[in-house]
Amino acid sequence: MMKNWGMIGGIAAALAAGIYVLWGPITDRKKRKKGLVPGLLNLGNTCFMNSLLQSLSICPSFIHWLEEFTLQYQHKQKDTAQQYLSVALLQLLKALSNQEAAEDEVLDASPLLDVLRTYRWQISSFEEQDAHELFHVLTSSLEEEKDHQPQVTHLFDVTALEVSVIKPVRVPSVVKGMLNPIPRQWKSHHPFHGRLTSNMVCKHCQHQSPMRYDTFDSLSLSIPSASWGGAMTLDNCLQHFFSTESVKDVVCENCTKIHAQERSNGQLVEDQKTTFVKQLKLGKLPQCLCIHLQRLSWSNQGSPLKRNEHVQFSEFLALDRYKYRLNGNVFRQRPCIAEGGTTQVTTDASAASDGSPHSKVQLLNGTYSTSLLSPSINSKSSSPECTSSSYLFRLMAVIVHHGDMHSGHFVTYRRSPPAAKTPKLPSLQWLWVSDDTVRRANIQEVLSSNAYLLFYERVRPKLHNQGSETRAEE
């Protein structure tokens, strides 16, 4: 009897060895569960990179831009093309968004790290890094790769001959003179690229200085101190960022000119210094918006501290009130037609809500608690049918940091990839991803998290709903 058991054990061992040789270890061939996405292998404290890649993979405009950008490398050998950051990044993001045929449950992002090292960005194993810092490394490296493209058209590039040369158009300005034309190359920037306007007005003579523009890849918002018993919202952070600022002892050319005209004896007049009011606005909105909530603070002794308070945010973000407008920054409300009648919807987050199902202001900018969201509204919130916002954004991913300023772990909440039958409609299903672990989540869990990075995708209004001013600005 013992001999029979020994023979059976030997046969089983031989069979197991044969399976291993032919197909590899069974654990390495686990198939991904339906409706989920691949996880990413932690290569030694690389959760910051894994969380960012999961977030970028659900931003369709960014993937589409990478697809168009990498067309220039089609004629190159596969090994040569993968040396470019855009190619390596696109390949990984498409696999994480289920656009590639990869069936592995866990992917390895080490090829992307190898490419980043060629861009002079070094990362040592088992060293804590920041997801927001990596985001700027990626965007700046992509800009560097774009700037190294040859500007001279190839002789055999027939398609380039069909592109008409568009002369830059000078845009009339509300201030004296004309605005500088925006370079045509600016339109080829990645979808996270936006512009801020900076406006300075003299408090004494109301003279407006020439408009200044600053580019941004993400909005880094500080968290103001909350009022006693009041909730902190994303709109509070936006209002704090775009609030006016007084700048003292600024030379005003207009005040100096007026002062000189008052003196008829021709004496030299000293430069007149006054106080200016500085106002930031969103000049050019990106298609993909990354918002960074600054959670770093300092103790009285100078030690770094992490702010762990919850900042309420919502599935939809309206930025109309922060957009620079050619008619003098006047924000107007427009009624919109919903099913069953006409409803006024405001995008001003400071307005009050009556709590009725028709008041969708509670979906915008995190003004109201997620407990106020009724199930009937939540079920339809991925596609708002009624909103007066011309600059509306939909939440796509959230990065959360657990831990303190010295150590911790990054995880991601992200949408599941859209269904194959409706590739342009965002999924209602949310996922929680921690490196190689992926599970389903719901929107209430997402909105209750302590966000560090928020990723929004712009919802383009239909052309017949767009105002003429909005179309002109775009």
Side-chain angles (χ1 to χ4, degrees):
M1 185 69 179
M2 295 297 294
K3 291 182 179 181
N4 293 337
W5 280 111
M7 185 179 298
I8 293 174
I11 295 174
L15 183 61
I19 293 175
Y20 184 92
V21 171
L22 292 176
W23 290 289
I26 296 176
T27 55
D28 289 345
R29 296 189 53 82
K30 289 193 299 183
K31 295 297 186 295
R32 191 166 64 250
K33 293 181 180 179
K34 187 176 181 180
L36 301 183
V37 296
L40 286 166
L41 188 66
N42 193 315
L43 305 172
N45 283 350
T46 56
C47 58
F48 71 100
M49 178 182 66
N50 295 343
S51 62
L52 179 62
L53 292 175
Q54 291 285 358
S55 301
L56 294 177
S57 68
I58 200 57
C59 297
S61 297
F62 184 60
I63 293 182
H64 179 68
W65 180 85
L66 285 173
E67 288 175 335
E68 291 189 341
F69 183 79
T70 54
L71 289 177
Q72 59 183 314
Y73 305 129
Q74 281 185 334
H75 64 281
K76 295 183 179 292
Q77 296 291 335
K78 185 177 180 180
D79 295 340
T80 305
Q82 288 181 345
Q83 297 177 2
Y84 294 96
L85 174 62
S86 57
V87 176
L89 184 60
L90 176 62
Q91 183 178 359
L92 194 55
L93 295 185
K94 293 184 74 171
L96 292 173
S97 58
N98 290 348
Q99 297 183 35
E100 294 287 350
E103 295 183 353
D104 295 333
E105 191 172 337
V106 181
L107 302 178
D108 186 355
S110 56
L112 180 65
L113 283 179
D114 295 336
V115 174
L116 284 173
R117 291 188 178 100
T118 65
Y119 284 76
R120 302 181 304 279
W121 189 74
Q122 298 296 327
I123 173 176
S124 59
S125 300
F126 305 105
E127 182 180 350
E128 293 285 346
Q129 301 287 341
D130 181 55
H132 185 233
E133 179 186 353
L134 177 61
F135 173 79
H136 282 291
V137 168
L138 290 177
T139 54
S140 60
S141 298
L142 287 172
E143 288 291 336
E144 181 181 346
E145 182 180 332
K146 179 182 69 67
D147 293 339
H148 283 97
Q149 293 183 65
Q151 300 297 323
V152 180
T153 306
H154 196 277
L155 291 175
F156 297 99
D157 189 359
V158 181
T159 59
L161 301 177
E162 300 175 358
V163 180
S164 59
V165 178
I166 303 176
K167 295 182 179 180
V169 179
R170 296 183 69 82
V171 183
S173 171
V174 293
V175 297
K176 186 183 298 184
M178 304 289 285
L179 291 177
N180 293 327
I182 297 177
R184 188 181 173 193
Q185 308 92 283
W186 189 83
K187 294 185 177 181
S188 64
H189 282 290
H190 55 77
F192 287 98
H193 191 279
R195 282 191 174 187
L196 290 171
T197 62
S198 178
N199 186 29
M200 301 238 333
V201 179
C202 176
K203 294 183 69 175
H204 186 262
C205 69
Q206 303 303 312
H207 173 72
Q208 181 173 325
S209 298
M211 189 73 65
R212 295 179 60 89
Y213 293 93
D214 294 301
T215 62
F216 70 91
D217 295 337
S218 67
L219 290 179
S220 191
L221 308 180
S222 59
I223 304 175
S225 300
S227 58
W228 179 259
M232 177 57 61
T233 70
L234 179 59
D235 207 61
N236 295 144
C237 300
L238 287 167
Q239 289 181 35
H240 183 71
F241 181 82
F242 289 105
S243 60
T244 58
E245 175 187 359
S246 294
V247 184
K248 297 181 180 180
D249 297 328
V250 179
V251 175
C252 179
E253 297 179 357
N254 191 54
C255 287
T256 304
K257 182 179 179 181
I258 294 174
H259 191 60
Q261 291 175 349
E262 293 175 350
R263 294 194 175 186
S264 57
N265 53 9
Q267 293 180 353
L268 294 176
V269 178
E270 294 183 355
D271 291 336
Q272 300 297 303
K273 293 184 178 181
T274 64
T275 300
F276 275 66
V277 176
K278 182 179 179 181
Q279 174 73 69
L280 289 178
K281 288 286 185 179
L282 289 165
K284 179 69 175 179
L285 284 166
Q287 178 62 24
C288 300
L289 177 64
C290 174
I291 294 180
H292 167 232
L293 295 176
Q294 300 176 12
R295 295 193 173 273
L296 172 64
S297 63
W298 301 91
S299 66
N300 295 331
Q301 292 75 29
S303 302
L305 299 174
K306 180 186 175 184
R307 299 185 62 174
N308 291 305
E309 63 262 49
H310 177 64
V311 177
Q312 289 181 183
F313 59 97
S314 299
E315 191 173 2
F316 291 95
L317 177 66
L319 295 177
D320 299 64
R321 64 185 304 187
Y322 307 112
K323 179 70 171 66
Y324 173 77
R325 297 175 183 272
L326 296 177
N327 61 356
N329 290 327
V330 177
F331 174 57
R332 301 187 183 94
Q333 288 299 134
R334 299 193 317 273
C336 61
I337 306 299
E339 293 183 3
T342 302
T343 307
Q344 284 278 3
V345 179
T346 177
T347 57
D348 190 341
S350 62
S353 169
D354 58 3
S356 65
H358 300 292
S359 179
K360 294 195 177 183
V361 66
Q362 57 193 11
L363 290 175
L364 300 174
N365 301 17
T367 306
Y368 296 94
S369 172
T370 58
S371 61
L372 295 178
L373 301 181
S374 64
S376 61
I377 295 179
N378 274 332
S379 62
K380 299 179 181 179
S381 61
S382 67
S383 181
E385 297 172 355
C386 178
T387 176
S388 62
S389 174
S390 299
Y391 306 98
L392 186 68
F393 287 78
R394 176 189 284 112
L395 183 66
M396 304 304 291
V398 181
I399 292 181
V400 180
H401 179 264
H402 298 286
D404 55 25
M405 296 306 303
H406 305 286
S407 62
H409 182 63
F410 287 98
V411 299
T412 304
Y413 288 101
R414 52 158 292 181
R415 290 185 187 269
S416 182
K421 295 182 180 179
T422 55
K424 293 186 178 181
L425 291 180
S427 173
L428 296 175
Q429 179 63 60
W430 283 85
L431 304 174
W432 176 87
V433 186
S434 174
D435 290 332
D436 56 356
T437 304
V438 183
R439 65 166 173 83
R440 290 179 175 85
N442 55 48
I443 185 63
Q444 286 78 14
E445 180 183 350
V446 176
L447 299 181
S448 300
S449 64
N450 285 348
Y452 177 62
L453 292 177
L454 296 163
F455 291 86
Y456 284 90
E457 180 95 4
R458 186 170 178 186
V459 181
R460 292 284 180 178
K462 295 181 180 179
L463 290 178
H464 64 269
N465 289 335
Q466 276 187 301
S468 57
E469 181 185 356
T470 304
R471 291 195 295 269
E473 290 176 348
E474 291 304 306

